[in-house]
Amino acid sequence: MRHSRRLTGSGARSDGSGHRIVRKAPSGRAAAVHVPSTGAGGALFAELSEALAGEVRFGRSDRALYATDASNYRQVPTGVVVPKTTDDVRRCVEICRSHGVPITSRGAGTSLVGQATNTAVIIDFSKYLNGIVAIDPEARTTSVEPGCVLDDLRDAAEVHGLTFGPDPSTHDHNTIGGMIGNNSCGVHSVAYGRTADNVLGLRILTYGGLELQVGPTTDREFKDILKAGGERAEIYRRLDDFRARYAALIRARFPTLPRRVSGFADLDKLLPENGFDVAKALVGTEGTCVTVLEAELRLAPSPRERVLVILGFKGIDKAADAVPEVLEFGPRAIEGIDATLVDDMQRKDLHTEKLEILPKGHDWLVVEFGAETLQAAEEKGKSLADHFAANPHVHARLVRDPETQEKVWRVREAGLPATAYVPDRPEAWEGWEDTAVPRERLGDYLRALRALYTKYGYESPMYGHFGDGLVHCRVSFDLKSEPGIEQWRRFLDEAADLVVRHGGSLSGEHGDGQGRAELLEKMYGPEMLQAFREFKAIWDPDGKMNPGMVVDPYPITSNLRLGPSYQPPALKTHFAFAEDGGFAGAMERCVGVGKCRRGDPGAQVMCPSYQVTMEEKHSTRGRARLLFEMLHGGAIEQGWKSEGVEEALDLCLSCKGCKSDCPVNVDMATYKAEFRSHYYAGRLRPRSAYSMGLIYWWSRLASKVPWLANFLLHGPGISAAAKWAGDVAQERDLPRYADQSFTSWFRQHRPEQGGGGRQVVLWPDTFNNFFRPATAIAATRSLEALGWEVSIPRRPLCCGRPLYDWGMLGAAKRLWRQTFTALAEEIEAGTPIVGLEPACVAAFKDELPNLLPDDPRAEKLSAQMHYFSDFLAGQVPDPAGSATREATVHFHCNHHAIIGKAGECDLLRAVGVKPRVLPSGCCGMAGSFGLESGKYDLSMQLAERTLLPAVREADRNELIVASGFSCREQIEQGSGKRTLHAAEITARQLGVVNDNGEFT
């Protein structure tokens, strides 16, 4: 959630003029067209393709890509439509109606109970129909398309000191259309309510083809509608009859609590006392009634200043008991965090540095206050803290600093990431994750729910939006065996009864979907369920709008993504995937939360190609789901030889950003390497695999006659032919081979002083050895200046980094075994090994133990490898005075994901350089990726998002630090500015080179 008022993003923007504002248009390679061969699906595909300007996708991999959302459920859709315009949506619905095919609307696909997966035509609004149509700062309103990302809207509104109140934890990628479908709420619902409370009007389309603008309806407007006649009048006449017949029942059976989300929870908005508000009544209907084309929303003032009060308690139920008391102080948010959630974060080493912010206690409430001045906000927070000061069982901390507040919210937002795939804990799943009860009964409910978990042998954290009585859980259900599923179903019955006894709602945020709709009769009774059916029939008499949700639902235990019927094949793989119990287990890791769909530059590294193309299949989630479907079968039958999977993986930059940025640490670079090792078995790879994947061997050959190699690669005329042969983009300048390699220089090198017996091996990676030997020489001189006796391997070696991208894993293993033999003495002695290329160091740290898990030398060698900056950070004498130079610093993706940034920054500060780390994400070169023909444009678009503009704008006296070889090439070719490795800067500070880079 956007807690800081002045944040800006890369998406929608407002100039206050009412002009349409859209996200940056996606670009990149066009998606391949997959045509179903025969049958009704083929006819529907052909008709849609002919009529629509947008994308129509009915191929196996396209359908597999949308078979799941973020829930436990899976249904392979009939096909997928990605409309470019609202006219496309109209035509799509019309054609589907003519074929009798159901439709399901989809935004970011983050639904946790299965609303976004169905045997239907999926309409994905997120790629193109994602604009802000207008913002009216005076009226505090906005109109948006359904695919608009929440944070894009919030960023645009913040320009005017406004915000859209509901803010789920997926705020940086979830869409407004999805929020309308689920009636989403979020942290600040205490202040702003649910989505329904902030919807002013909707432009909708029925399955029958009628387009309407709906909202509150005055008596005069109602009479005019009836007088005009036609389909619109008939719908309003039936709505009026419906509300007259069911008004008493609605008043009697609808719980009066702020988080009533289950069922058609806003039918009361049709009643006269609520203004006959048809728009609000449709919010939360999960796409089962109409398709939303545009939404008019209320914006609210966004306080300039905020403070937090964190209250520590001895028990999460005790924290819940205090909520009514806290509410008396007028907070904007009250969030619960329990000890289990914190323990899960510690086990996963997730945001652990932020946990120190929490005051003494076992469980916590995070309470936010806002005001126009910091003093006013502090006064509110202090009054709450003072109120609990006399209670020895409660510990309070007031947090004023915005940066520290943001850290607190990161802890709270880590709920799903922290509770999925926790080491030494059973697997945990959705299935009972967002119930809500009246605030004054929350403590009692938590105690009863905990007892029920104990009865069934389940474990779960309890956290969430306590200010509105909502509790999030992720429970250790067994969803893979018949007995486990039967037990889960029995639990759901008891748990639903428990919620009803406490006057609550089965869902307080995520809706019903396939996960709870079957239980709605317990909450509302059979008469109300009949009312739901009749309301849906007014809009969708044929039952074609997202069938099986809310009304006449699919059974809870049907359509499970995992279950007894899912029996993935036992596959022989190169990598061990030991943490997941094998490759099949790794393919279950993605929980679909969709953080990889963020589009703002620099917020994270993953997923670079998605940030340009905005294609689901280019997100980490999309690729992970395709690999899962490959094992599942049905949609994808070709297994390791699937063209659709290869197509999706081809634009994976193997950046490893997902290894650190993904909430559940999906490792797509490794999955890609494994897949390609089988996909290309017995067939030729593209030319670039041999020209760049085998760069180690080509470079050894070129180093013998570097002048000839450079002539062939750069000579007029001949270079174009060389690039074609190597499948290199003609726009690229290939790096030049050095006249003398580093290893050749080292054999002639005589250190000026002994190392005092302190031995270190410098790893001469292919890139710094053959192309940039000055970096390795600087590292050698720096290590020696600090008292180390430097050696290099006695024979040429390589970690095989370029091989992984092409799945040449047999060759990679052979290279590792050569390294074991060549460094046998050093491995046995535990001699530290220092690497200069982040990608190569990452191969030691990450690929090596996974590729050769049964060889004890692999683990030992991995532990002995150190990145240069990490190794020297604590050894360089403090510089005299403060930093004398400033540096713009860009981190290699593997550096970010595997090594970490702290060591590099610490070393730079130690040598008198003040680092300014760019939030630049992936540079777009990513090894050979940016060199390949067909990928140049995407590579440069990635670089131009943040990195290259920031480098160009840097002061001419500012150092440009980029330690990754590919990053240095991208920056230098794209900006014309020289880059430096941390080793070169260190050598300058230590006096072993001068300012011109000449060695002294």
Side-chain angles (χ1 to χ4, degrees):
M1 62 258 7
R2 293 305 201 199
H3 299 286
S4 176
R5 183 171 182 274
R6 297 304 177 194
L7 292 176
T8 57
S10 67
R13 290 288 181 269
S14 171
D15 59 6
S17 64
H19 295 162
R20 185 172 185 271
I21 310 156
V22 297
R23 273 188 146 202
K24 184 177 179 181
S27 54
R29 302 189 311 175
V33 176
H34 299 289
V35 185
S37 54
T38 58
L44 177 61
F45 171 84
E47 196 169 341
L48 287 168
S49 299
E50 178 68 23
L52 271 58
E55 296 154 17
V56 181
R57 303 171 179 177
F58 275 49
R60 287 183 173 272
S61 60
D62 301 306
R63 295 163 58 224
L65 198 62
Y66 288 80
T68 57
D69 46 21
S71 71
N72 297 324
Y73 296 95
R74 172 186 180 271
Q75 293 191 76
V76 179
T78 305
V80 178
V81 168
V82 186
K84 282 190 174 181
T85 65
T86 52
D87 280 343
D88 275 352
V89 181
R90 296 183 189 99
R91 294 189 188 103
C92 175
V93 172
E94 178 185 1
I95 293 168
C96 286
R97 180 174 69 253
S98 71
H99 287 263
V101 175
I103 62 172
T104 293
S105 297
R106 178 168 166 137
T110 57
S111 297
L112 288 168
V113 282
Q115 298 100 322
T117 173
N118 216 325
T119 305
V121 167
I122 304 290
I123 304 178
D124 182 352
F125 288 89
S126 65
K127 184 176 180 181
Y128 297 113
L129 292 176
N130 55 27
I132 300 173
V133 179
I135 288 181
D136 186 337
E138 299 301 320
R140 295 179 180 173
T141 62
T142 182
S143 295
V144 301
E145 293 174 326
C148 176
V149 170
L150 173 57
D151 269 3
D152 289 351
L153 172 59
R154 290 166 65 82
D155 285 346
E158 288 285 1
V159 174
H160 307 285
L162 301 171
T163 190
F164 183 66
D167 54 350
S169 61
T170 52
H171 54 86
D172 51 28
H173 58 281
N174 74 279
T175 67
I176 299 295
M179 293 178 68
I180 291 170
N182 291 356
N183 200 1
S184 300
C185 307
V187 168
H188 289 94
S189 60
V190 170
Y192 300 118
R194 306 161 304 154
T195 296
D197 303 315
N198 295 275
V199 168
L200 299 174
L202 297 174
R203 184 154 61 93
I204 59 172
L205 179 69
T206 69
Y207 189 77
L210 178 65
E211 188 171 335
L212 299 172
Q213 182 72 36
V214 297
T217 313
T218 66
D219 290 342
R220 177 68 184 175
E221 288 169 336
F222 179 53
K223 291 177 182 177
D224 289 343
I225 291 170
L226 295 183
K227 184 178 179 180
E231 290 182 68
R232 183 187 186 201
E234 179 59 24
I235 285 177
Y236 272 80
R237 185 177 292 109
R238 293 180 67 188
L239 288 172
D240 184 48
D241 175 68
F242 173 87
R243 66 176 182 163
R245 287 187 295 111
Y246 285 106
L249 183 64
I250 289 171
R251 293 185 182 108
R253 292 304 304 260
F254 271 35
T256 54
L257 72 160
R259 285 300 188 101
R260 186 184 70 227
V261 168
S262 268
F264 292 164
D266 282 273
L267 291 182
D268 61 331
K269 302 304 185 296
L270 295 175
L271 302 183
E273 62 265 31
N274 294 321
F276 198 180
D277 195 330
V278 178
K280 285 182 169 57
L282 287 168
V283 175
T285 55
E286 303 183 10
T288 63
C289 295
V290 298
T291 299
V292 175
L293 300 177
E294 190 175 304
E296 184 183 5
L297 309 173
R298 176 186 293 111
L299 299 176
S302 180
R304 290 180 177 273
E305 303 293 345
R306 297 173 174 90
V307 300
L308 298 181
V309 177
I310 310 175
L311 301 173
F313 296 83
K314 293 182 178 179
I316 193 63
D317 57 327
K318 302 297 183 186
D321 288 336
V323 167
E325 200 174 347
V326 175
L327 281 167
E328 295 178 5
F329 291 83
R332 302 180 70 251
I334 307 175
E335 295 293 294
I337 298 174
D338 79 336
T340 304
L341 174 60
V342 169
D343 180 65
D344 288 348
M345 294 177 68
Q346 291 171 331
R347 288 170 183 258
K348 295 185 70 172
D349 193 26
L350 182 68
H351 298 314
T352 50
E353 77 285 357
K354 298 176 175 65
L355 296 178
E356 299 175 0
I357 301 165
L358 299 176
K360 183 180 178 181
H362 192 260
D363 306 83
W364 299 266
L365 289 181
V366 177
V367 186
E368 182 184 274
F369 294 94
E372 285 303 294
T373 66
L374 182 59
Q375 180 181 355
E378 285 182 353
E379 287 175 358
K380 293 180 181 181
K382 191 173 183 302
S383 64
L384 176 64
D386 289 345
H387 175 76
F388 283 99
N391 189 332
H393 303 296
V394 181
H395 303 274
R397 174 170 295 170
L398 183 66
V399 181
R400 301 174 177 85
D401 174 51
E403 185 175 337
T404 306
Q405 291 182 43
E406 196 70 18
K407 291 179 180 179
V408 175
W409 288 121
R410 294 289 80 77
V411 171
R412 166 56 190 88
E413 286 186 348
L416 192 155
T419 55
Y421 291 92
V422 182
D424 303 318
R425 284 196 186 278
E427 289 181 322
W429 306 97
E430 290 81 31
W432 196 251
E433 79 286 342
D434 72 321
T435 50
V437 299
R439 299 146 166 167
E440 62 274 10
R441 304 191 68 182
L442 181 58
D444 290 338
Y445 172 66
L446 291 185
R447 284 183 280 271
L449 183 59
R450 180 70 71 195
L452 191 60
Y453 286 152
T454 301
K455 173 183 175 179
Y456 279 88
Y458 293 147
E459 298 178 18
S460 178
M462 291 181 174
Y463 62 98
H465 312 303
F466 281 19
D468 274 339
L470 182 140
V471 55
H472 283 312
C473 298
R474 191 173 179 87
V475 190
S476 57
F477 300 125
D478 171 9
L479 301 184
K480 296 182 179 179
S481 71
E482 290 285 2
I485 292 171
E486 290 173 2
Q487 176 176 294
W488 173 49
R489 188 62 184 82
R490 291 195 303 272
F491 164 84
L492 291 177
D493 276 328
E494 287 198 52
D497 290 338
L498 183 65
V499 169
V500 173
R501 285 200 304 272
H502 284 80
S505 176
L506 302 177
S507 170
E509 186 153 50
H510 302 146
D512 302 307
Q514 302 182 50
R516 273 183 289 275
E518 197 180 7
L519 301 169
L520 284 174
E521 187 170 338
K522 290 177 177 289
M523 179 178 169
Y524 286 111
E527 291 179 274
M528 188 62 75
L529 262 61
Q530 179 59 27
F532 292 170
R533 291 188 189 95
E534 292 183 25
F535 181 75
K536 174 178 169 63
I538 292 171
W539 303 100
D540 178 32
D542 297 324
K544 298 299 185 180
M545 297 293 293
N546 210 16
M549 312 293 168
V550 188
V551 171
D552 300 321
Y554 298 115
I556 290 173
T557 56
S558 66
N559 302 321
L560 291 176
R561 185 168 70 94
L562 303 172
S565 63
Y566 174 56
Q567 298 292 333
L571 300 173
K572 185 177 180 181
T573 58
H574 294 278
F575 289 105
F577 303 102
E579 186 178 347
D580 297 297
F583 184 75
M587 295 309 99
E588 297 173 15
R589 181 171 283 272
C590 176
V591 296
V593 70
K595 187 182 176 186
C596 46
R597 287 174 56 93
R598 292 173 66 165
D600 44 331
Q604 59 189 21
V605 169
M606 75 165 185
C607 189
S609 49
Y610 174 80
Q611 293 168 8
V612 172
T613 70
M614 291 181 66
E615 285 279 354
E616 174 72 16
K617 69 180 176 181
H618 295 147
S619 68
T620 302
R621 180 181 73 179
R623 293 178 178 122
R625 290 303 170 78
L626 284 178
L627 288 164
F628 171 83
E629 291 292 327
M630 179 190 80
L631 297 184
H632 192 287
I636 296 178
E637 299 286 2
Q638 301 87 359
W640 290 123
K641 300 299 182 181
S642 168
E643 296 290 344
V645 176
E646 164 59 21
E647 180 184 315
L649 290 173
D650 185 48
L651 290 192
C652 169
L653 285 81
S654 298
C655 67
K656 285 191 173 289
C658 51
K659 179 84 172 182
S660 62
D661 295 346
C662 170
V664 291
N665 309 117
V666 165
D667 185 3
M668 193 51 60
T670 301
Y671 304 165
K672 175 185 178 181
E674 185 67 54
F675 174 83
R676 280 189 157 179
S677 71
H678 302 277
Y679 177 81
Y680 284 114
R683 64 171 76 174
L684 287 174
R685 290 171 168 82
R687 298 192 307 277
S688 53
Y690 303 105
S691 64
M692 291 175 272
L694 305 180
I695 186 79
Y696 163 63
W697 289 277
W698 291 120
S699 295
R700 286 180 61 185
L701 181 65
S703 68
K704 299 181 185 301
V705 279
W707 62 269
L708 179 58
N710 287 330
F711 174 75
L712 295 174
L713 297 178
H714 298 278
I718 196 170
S719 66
K723 289 178 183 177
W724 178 88
D727 197 23
V728 174
Q730 293 294 331
E731 298 91 336
R732 283 292 182 192
D733 290 327
L734 289 169
R736 291 181 175 273
Y737 284 99
D739 293 337
Q740 182 183 38
S741 69
F742 164 69
T743 53
S744 177
W745 172 88
F746 192 88
R747 283 192 292 269
Q748 304 166 19
H749 171 60
R750 296 293 181 268
E752 296 181 5
Q753 61 185 51
R758 294 198 303 166
Q759 303 288 325
V760 65
V761 176
L762 184 64
W763 181 260
D765 64 87
T766 297
F767 309 105
N768 287 305
N769 182 25
F770 295 113
F771 295 101
R772 292 183 183 263
T775 298
I777 295 171
T780 303
R781 296 273 189 142
S782 297
L783 288 164
E784 290 174 345
L786 292 170
W788 289 93
E789 187 173 324
V790 181
S791 64
I792 62 173
R794 289 173 287 278
R795 56 155 296 178
L797 297 173
C798 180
C799 70
R801 173 72 267 172
L803 299 172
Y804 296 105
D805 195 49
W806 291 104
M808 298 176 175
L809 301 183
K813 288 180 180 179
R814 289 191 292 273
L815 287 176
W816 283 123
R817 293 190 176 106
Q818 289 177 10
T819 299
F820 292 159
T821 301
L823 296 180
E825 293 180 11
E826 288 83 357
I827 294 172
E828 180 65 26
T831 305
I833 303 167
V834 170
L836 298 168
E837 170 57 40
C840 296
V841 173
F844 277 84
K845 294 293 185 184
D846 198 51
E847 276 87 359
L848 173 56
N850 197 359
L851 199 57
L852 297 167
D854 298 325
D855 193 322
R857 297 172 296 181
E859 196 66 42
K860 203 167 188 302
L861 181 58
S862 177
Q864 287 172 233
M865 168 57 75
H866 305 271
Y867 180 65
F868 174 83
S869 297
D870 295 346
F871 186 72
L872 286 189
Q875 301 182 39
V876 177
D878 291 335
S882 60
T884 57
R885 296 290 298 273
E886 291 189 350
T888 293
V889 182
H890 168 78
F891 278 94
H892 187 284
C893 299
N894 290 182
H895 201 156
H896 162 86
I898 305 300
I899 301 168
K901 303 177 181 179
E904 185 106 319
C905 292
D906 288 346
L907 179 62
L908 290 173
R909 283 188 285 265
V911 298
V913 173
K914 182 180 179 181
R916 179 175 67 93
V917 177
L918 294 176
S920 43
C922 179
C923 74
M925 183 67 83
S928 65
F929 183 93
L931 295 175
E932 294 176 43
S933 63
K935 296 177 182 174
Y936 173 80
D937 287 343
L938 188 145
S939 171
M940 294 308 299
Q941 287 173 61
L942 279 168
E944 292 290 355
R945 284 167 62 79
T946 301
L947 175 59
L948 290 181
V951 169
R952 295 187 192 109
E953 292 168 7
D955 187 271
R956 64 175 186 158
N957 294 320
E958 195 169 349
L959 303 174
I960 308 298
V961 179
S963 296
F965 177 79
S966 56
C967 305
R968 298 181 74 176
E969 287 294 318
Q970 183 79 309
I971 291 170
E972 291 180 358
Q973 291 190 30
S975 72
K977 290 191 175 183
R978 181 191 176 197
T979 62
L980 291 170
H981 190 286
E984 295 169 298
I985 295 174
T986 302
R988 289 185 182 187
Q989 170 63 24
L990 296 176
V992 294
V993 299
N994 59 30
D995 288 341
N996 295 321
E998 299 166 340
F999 293 98
T1000 59

